[in-house]
Amino acid sequence: MTADITAAPALSAPALEAVVDLDAIAHNVGVLRERAGADVMAVVKADGYGHGAVEVGHAALAAGARALGVATVTEALALRAGGVVAPVLAWLHSSATDFAAAVAADIDIAVSSTAHLDAVVTAARGLGRTATVTIKIDTGLARNGVGPADWPDLRDAVATAVAEGSIVLGGMMCHLAHGDTPDHPLNDSQAARLDACVAEMARLGVRPQTVHISNSAAALTRPDLSRDLVRPGIAVYGLSPLPHGFDDLPLIPAMTLTAEVVMVKAVPAGQGVSYAHTWTAPHDTTLGLLPAGYADGVPRLLSNRLRVRIGDRVYPGVGRVCMDQMVVDLGADTTVREGDRAELFGRGTQGGPTATEWADTIGTIDYEIVSGIRGRTVRRHRGGPQSGSTR
Ligand SMILES: *Cc1c(COP(=O)(O)O)cnc(C)c1O
């Protein structure tokens, strides 16, 4: 190794790195469009499920997505600041939401109540602009969205606001409670309820520009529920929202989390490892230390229950996952050296671990794993629209 390279630490990978493959994002958007038979609104809330909302947003749009969806107006404005000019929808608001900023930035605002609508109309009038509004209807999830009791008032108020020119109706939407159970009867009744509301609006002379229902699970399995758009999130990132049995989906996980092996040391049989010595070396062995802990999003519940891939071999995590570090058992005569990289999760190639495996192990969903990667993790993007790479 030349002195030049060792003298250039900036060129080496960060100690803990999440690489997001934007070509995988593009591939997954293509899979979703084809499966759903509809245009895609890629959901990039929560900083793109931990993958970077702006970068993923640009990659998804370049791959043919027509719009982006986020929860809050703050998230929507961050996309605009990041250069996104495509339609952006935001659907979760509070008394602090700056609707004027949203209208000024041409954000489609999903309203769940007449109070939201009134605030948007006031903002639009104040700016002398027309706001784009989507009606979010609670067709059975019982989360946000307008419920049956308040629907007639909101319907009539929207019709009035459209007639006076303060808003245009960008869309009507609902969100499924049982999308990951494709044959659940509630999926059909939720769609029927939304369609009935659309028909009621039409009788008042107002037609939404788009109607949309499907999350990732429905986009992948229920093309009959696709209306004008589908709203996938998790599948854009290459993870499946469906129970095992749908494992053959051609999605590519976009995020790979790796850490440097920062220390390698031999320990004798009987040596307890990490806090409370919850693991004891059964024989003389070698330990590898990784600078990744629960403050970085590695769940402490994975203590003694995870595996990492180094090269073409997989090694068990041993002892407690701590705030900043964790330990793997490399075995008695290991070839692993300090400076090697360990894959904590990724595509699952070469028998390596996945975010889904972590989630299954501790009884959660991979959404929580990838959106929870944080702390000292350095995120890097590769591929994507500017790279000229092809797949
Ligand atoms: C998060 C969210 C989605 C995306 O759900 P996935 O299961 O990640 O596909 C779609 N629509 C709404 C309203 C959401 O809140």
Side-chain angles (χ1 to χ4, degrees):
M1 195 53 49
T2 66
D4 287 325
I5 289 175
T6 50
L11 293 179
S12 61
L16 178 59
E17 184 180 51
V19 174
V20 175
D21 182 352
L22 297 174
D23 293 335
I25 300 284
H27 167 87
N28 298 330
V29 168
V31 169
L32 284 155
R33 289 177 72 195
E34 191 181 311
R35 289 264 175 156
D39 278 332
V40 166
M41 171 185 286
V43 177
V44 295
K45 62 191 182 187
D47 197 19
Y49 293 42
H51 294 67
V54 169
E55 293 88 346
V56 169
H58 283 298
L61 292 165
R66 174 166 142 194
L68 302 179
V70 289
T72 68
V73 164
T74 304
E75 291 176 313
L77 295 174
L79 292 173
R80 287 282 183 259
V84 171
V85 295
V88 174
L89 175 70
W91 53 70
L92 184 64
H93 317 298
S94 75
S95 55
T97 297
D98 187 350
F99 289 116
V103 173
D106 201 19
I107 306 302
D108 185 342
I109 303 161
V111 297
S112 296
S113 69
T114 49
H116 287 166
L117 180 69
D118 291 348
V120 174
V121 167
T122 301
R125 284 188 190 137
L127 290 164
R129 292 181 63 140
T130 303
T132 303
V133 165
T134 285
I135 309 175
K136 191 168 196 294
I137 301 177
D138 176 10
T139 58
L141 181 59
R143 215 173 60 175
N144 73 346
V146 61
D150 299 318
W151 158 248
D153 283 350
L154 181 58
R155 175 197 64 201
D156 295 347
V158 165
T160 301
V162 169
E164 72 178 29
S166 46
I167 68 166
V168 294
L169 188 56
M172 292 177 70
M173 68 185 282
C174 70
H175 195 40
L176 298 172
H178 282 291
D180 52 1
T181 308
D183 295 331
H184 198 287
L186 192 66
N187 295 328
D188 301 292
S189 63
Q190 287 196 255
R193 168 85 187 130
L194 182 67
D195 292 342
C197 292
V198 173
E200 282 184 43
M201 280 313 304
R203 282 198 287 278
L204 296 178
V206 181
R207 283 173 204 284
Q209 290 165 359
T210 59
V211 175
H212 40 106
I213 300 171
S214 298
N215 57 6
S216 296
L220 291 165
T221 61
R222 291 289 309 267
D224 59 307
L225 296 181
S226 300
R227 296 294 183 266
D228 304 300
L229 286 173
V230 292
R231 280 190 328 273
I234 196 73
V236 169
Y237 307 98
L239 301 172
S240 170
L242 292 157
H244 294 294
F246 294 90
D247 291 337
D248 56 344
L249 291 169
L251 300 171
I252 301 175
M255 184 189 290
T256 299
L257 182 67
T258 67
E260 182 179 325
V261 179
V262 292
M263 176 176 264
V264 172
K265 72 174 142 194
V267 295
Q271 175 66 54
V273 171
S274 192
Y275 291 131
H277 286 180
T278 61
W279 185 84
T280 300
H283 46 70
D284 293 356
T285 191
T286 315
L287 302 178
L289 181 69
L290 305 181
Y294 58 78
D296 306 301
V298 182
R300 187 171 174 275
L301 288 172
L302 283 174
S303 297
N304 289 308
R305 299 163 81 191
L306 61 74
R307 341 174 274 132
V308 306
R309 182 176 70 80
I310 305 174
D312 56 5
R313 285 196 54 189
V314 170
Y315 302 91
V318 293
R320 288 263 169 84
V321 172
C322 309
M323 186 181 285
D324 324 301
Q325 41 192 306
M326 52 180 272
V327 178
V328 294
D329 179 17
L330 300 173
D333 23 68
T334 185
T335 57
V336 174
R337 294 287 172 263
E338 289 175 11
D340 286 354
R341 290 210 76 87
E343 184 176 284
L344 278 71
F345 65 72
R347 292 187 182 184
T349 47
Q350 293 181 276
T354 62
T356 308
E357 178 178 314
W358 280 20
D360 290 348
T361 301
I362 64 172
T364 184
I365 53 177
D366 42 22
Y367 297 62
E368 187 175 355
I369 301 296
V370 290
S371 67
I373 297 304
R374 60 186 181 276
R376 289 144 296 199
T377 313
V378 175
R379 192 172 58 206
R380 182 164 66 82
H381 293 91
R382 75 159 178 246
Q386 270 94 50
S387 73
S389 62
T390 52
R391 181 171 290 282

